[in-house]
Amino acid sequence: MVGPSAGGSRWSVVVSLLVAAAMATIAFITVQQAGCHNPGQYVASGDGYELIGGCVEPNDLPIAPDTVPAPHPAAPDIRSPLRP
């Protein structure tokens, strides 16, 4: 005999699978519509890996603001605070 919770969990599994299938379909359509015919490739270089080709242009990336170096702290006063 099937209990009342078995029907509820079966329903949640079906709904979860339908939502997952819909999200996968949307992701597939989004990738197809992206319009990038050259995905690029990673090539090993002396400093690590470098992306060659692809659809990302340097102007597409945000530029970080110039950082101002923090001032060096002053040398600590080695005199005792108890001496005049």
Side-chain angles (χ1 to χ4, degrees), residues 31-56:
V31 169
Q32 293 296 323
Q33 303 273 331
C36 182
H37 300 291
N38 178 13
Q41 62 184 3
Y42 285 99
V43 177
S45 65
D47 296 333
Y49 289 93
E50 182 179 354
L51 178 63
I52 305 295
C55 296
V56 178

Side-chain angles (χ1 to χ4, degrees), residues 5-63:
S5 65
S9 70
R10 187 176 305 145
W11 176 251
S12 67
V13 169
V14 170
V15 170
S16 298
L17 288 175
L18 287 175
V19 169
M23 291 176 69
T25 303
I26 291 170
F28 181 77
I29 292 171
T30 301
V31 169
Q32 293 296 323
Q33 303 273 331
C36 182
H37 300 291
N38 178 13
Q41 62 184 3
Y42 285 99
V43 177
S45 65
D47 296 333
Y49 289 93
E50 182 179 354
L51 178 63
I52 305 295
C55 296
V56 178
E57 298 292 328
N59 293 335
D60 295 339
L61 302 174
I63 298 174

